Amino acid sequence: MDPELLRQQKAFQKHAATTVAVQNKPSASSNSHTTYSSEAAKAKKKKSSGPSQNLSKLPDFDNFTSNSNALSNATNFSTMAKIVDYMKKRHLNQQQWPLTLQEMLDELQIYDLSKRSLAFLHEALPNNPRLIMENDKFAFRPPYKIKGKTSLVAVARKHYQDGKGGILVSDLAECVANYDALLQQVAADVIVVPTQVNKKKDRVVFYNDKDFTFPELEDDFKALWRNVSVDHLDEKKIEEYLQKKGLDAMKDLTPKVRMQAPLKRKAAKRRLNQKVQNEHMDGVLEDYE
């Protein structure tokens, strides 16, 4: 072997024995063939989370549509209620000539209605039971055609004769403005009784039939009647109380209408198998046998 090579080998081994080398640990990116980077992924995730959060904060289109429809319907019905209330005030103030829809909106100073709301009012107002429509104009429809004491007594008498009971003062207040003074003027012809309708205090006006005479009740019956308080009871509870005391309500007093049995159809007579002869064709038919 070449002595020069041996000398170089011994020198290299001696130098290696005296020198301490520290090797760094290779990073994961140096010995891996993947292109994934955790830092880049975190930055990308942070960047993408911003717009998604902003999109999640946006209102849902379906909810927005439903809310807008509800708001539009509320506006339409509120406008119609304002129109009816205004026409009622005009009626009570003796301003009873009809108005068009545009005239009513102008007098109410409503100018910001959309085309959809105007279309709703054009369709809904003619069907409103509290308004009268004639020739595309509207007027208030009072519950009764009462304008004074004569018409009030006439309507009360008509109710009495037809068995409809009395007239609520709340309905009378929509017919005339000075209903209290009107009731005082006809005090001899009507009877006013306090009542309660839909948990609200009200009064009923009945016709006073002077031809009907009722015997004077004894004081004992009056005391019994006044001592029994039934204001907190309804008709069903009163009926249950009377049944517990052995008093039962009479039922099925209306005359029964007899239902006629349907007429039976006569059974069609079945024809027997009879041989029909063409006697009227005698001498006309020919035999080709």
Side-chain angles (χ1 to χ4, degrees):
M1 191 172 181
D2 190 358
E4 183 64 20
L5 293 176
L6 293 173
R7 187 180 61 79
Q8 292 179 1
Q9 182 182 8
K10 289 181 181 180
F12 176 77
Q13 291 177 350
K14 183 177 179 181
H15 178 73
T18 58
T19 304
V20 180
V22 179
Q23 186 177 3
N24 294 330
K25 184 178 179 181
S27 61
S29 60
S30 62
N31 59 356
S32 175
H33 298 285
T34 182
T35 58
Y36 175 78
S37 175
S38 60
E39 297 295 333
K42 289 180 180 180
K44 186 176 181 180
K45 184 176 180 181
K46 185 176 181 181
K47 184 177 180 180
S48 63
S49 62
S52 64
Q53 291 178 356
N54 294 333
L55 290 174
S56 63
K57 293 180 181 179
L58 293 177
D60 190 4
F61 179 75
D62 295 336
N63 293 334
F64 177 77
T65 304
S66 61
N67 292 336
S68 63
N69 291 336
L71 181 61
S72 177
N73 293 334
T75 303
N76 295 338
F77 284 104
S78 176
T79 305
M80 186 166 60
K82 291 179 181 178
I83 291 174
V84 173
D85 188 59
Y86 176 70
M87 297 304 290
K88 172 186 170 183
K89 292 179 180 178
R90 291 183 72 255
H91 177 82
L92 296 177
N93 293 331
Q94 302 300 321
Q95 301 175 2
Q96 300 177 3
W97 58 88
L99 298 176
T100 62
L101 175 59
Q102 190 60 45
E103 290 173 346
M104 292 186 293
L105 295 177
D106 291 341
E107 294 191 10
L108 287 171
Q109 297 181 358
I110 300 176
Y111 307 109
D112 56 347
L113 289 181
S114 62
K115 293 182 179 180
R116 186 175 180 181
S117 297
L118 289 174
F120 169 81
L121 293 176
H122 277 293
E123 183 179 357
L125 287 179
N127 300 323
N128 194 303
R130 305 188 68 185
L131 294 177
I132 304 173
M133 179 181 176
E134 292 182 359
N135 300 325
D136 294 334
K137 292 186 176 182
F138 299 92
F140 181 73
R141 186 197 301 272
Y144 306 103
K145 294 182 180 180
I146 299 176
K147 297 182 179 180
K149 58 181 182 181
T150 304
S151 55
L152 173 58
V153 175
V155 173
R157 185 188 300 110
K158 182 65 175 176
H159 272 58
Y160 171 73
Q161 293 174 353
D162 296 343
K164 295 181 180 179
I167 303 171
L168 291 175
V169 175
S170 57
D171 292 339
L172 181 62
E174 296 185 357
C175 301
V176 291
N178 54 345
Y179 60 92
D180 284 328
L182 188 62
L183 289 176
Q184 293 178 1
Q185 294 176 7
V186 297
D189 298 321
V190 298
I191 300 174
V192 182
V193 179
T195 186
Q196 188 174 3
V197 180
N198 296 330
K199 298 182 179 180
K200 294 182 180 179
K201 292 183 179 181
D202 205 342
R203 291 177 292 170
V204 187
V205 180
F206 294 97
Y207 176 69
N208 185 14
D209 189 0
K210 299 178 182 178
D211 296 333
F212 179 76
T213 57
F214 189 78
E216 184 68 22
L217 290 176
E218 298 180 4
D219 295 336
D220 295 338
F221 288 101
K222 292 181 181 180
L224 289 174
W225 176 265
R226 292 168 181 170
N227 289 334
V228 177
S229 176
V230 293
D231 295 338
H232 61 287
L233 301 175
D234 54 11
E235 294 184 359
K236 186 176 181 181
K237 292 183 178 180
I238 294 175
E239 184 178 355
E240 292 176 355
Y241 175 79
L242 294 176
Q243 289 177 354
K244 290 181 181 179
K245 298 298 181 179
L247 300 175
D248 197 3
M250 294 184 292
K251 299 178 180 179
D252 299 333
L253 297 179
T254 57
K256 296 182 179 179
V257 179
R258 294 184 179 181
M259 300 296 293
Q260 294 182 356
L263 299 176
K264 294 182 179 180
R265 293 184 178 180
K266 295 182 179 180
K269 293 182 179 180
R270 300 179 62 182
R271 286 187 174 183
L272 300 177
N273 294 330
Q274 297 178 354
K275 189 176 182 180
V276 180
Q277 303 292 340
N278 295 328
E279 297 178 355
H280 63 288
M281 300 297 290
D282 189 16
V284 178
L285 299 178
E286 296 181 3
D287 189 1
Y288 292 97
E289 293 181 357

